[in-house]
Amino acid sequence: MTLGSHYRRTATITPSSSARQALRLILKPKAAAMGTVDGAWWPRSRDSLAEFPAMIAGLKHRLGRPSRVAFNVNAWTAAPRRVLVDGQAVSLEGFRSLDEHTVLVSGYAWHRMVLLVIPPEASEHAAKAALALRDVS
């Protein structure tokens, strides 16, 4: 994990107060066999504080209460150690060793999801194709 003076400890974000654009997230059906990835996410930027809270809120129905997001620190802007989403604290942990095209989201009771991150700069055609292939991984 990378910690530095430029990392803030906690940020409070209300996903509903950020840009009201549709979350571009597709998940495998709940009964689908486990695979390499559990879904695909196409963020609009690499800004961790602009993107992570809405993604976290979008996973609540599958994970219950998300508790942790692990991400590649080289792929995202600096993030605080924790973010409050809808009043719940979620740990943000950056690692250099994680694949820059994935984020790992953990919930309570050992629930975990691996999301394929489609680069924000991907064309709409390429992103939609990648989102459609999420079931084969």
Side-chain angles (χ1 to χ4, degrees), residues 23-28 35-43 51-52 54-59 62-63 68-71 76 98-106 112-118 131 134 137:
L23 180 62
R24 301 182 299 188
L25 172 71
I26 294 182
L27 302 175
K28 285 183 178 180
T36 306
V37 297
D38 301 301
W41 175 44
W42 185 23
E51 302 295 339
F52 287 172
M55 179 267 297
I56 292 165
L59 293 174
R62 277 294 271 281
L63 283 176
R68 175 180 176 250
V69 175
F71 60 96
W76 296 92
L98 288 178
D99 185 319
E100 67 183 55
H101 299 292
T102 62
V103 292
L104 310 176
V105 185
S106 302
R112 187 188 100 170
M113 298 188 86
V114 177
L115 298 177
L116 171 68
V117 177
I118 299 164
L131 289 169
R134 82 204 182 290
S137 297

Side-chain angles (χ1 to χ4, degrees), residues 53-100:
M55 179 267 297
I56 292 165
L59 293 174
K60 271 188 170 178
H61 71 282
R62 277 294 271 281
L63 283 176
R65 193 173 92 188
S67 60
R68 175 180 176 250
V69 175
F71 60 96
N72 182 295
V73 294
N74 297 320
W76 296 92
T77 61
R81 291 181 189 170
R82 291 184 322 155
V83 64
L84 296 177
V85 178
D86 296 332
Q88 301 293 323
V90 179
S91 296
L92 301 180
E93 298 181 3
F95 298 90
R96 294 192 195 300
S97 59
L98 288 178
D99 185 319
E100 67 183 55

Side-chain angles (χ1 to χ4, degrees), residues 2-23:
T2 301
L3 300 175
S5 59
H6 65 284
Y7 284 76
R8 291 174 276 171
R9 290 194 176 248
T10 304
T12 302
I13 304 293
T14 304
S16 59
S17 69
S18 52
R20 295 181 188 261
Q21 297 175 322
L23 180 62

Side-chain angles (χ1 to χ4, degrees), residues 119-130:
E121 61 277 3
S123 71
E124 185 171 352
H125 177 73
K128 285 184 178 182

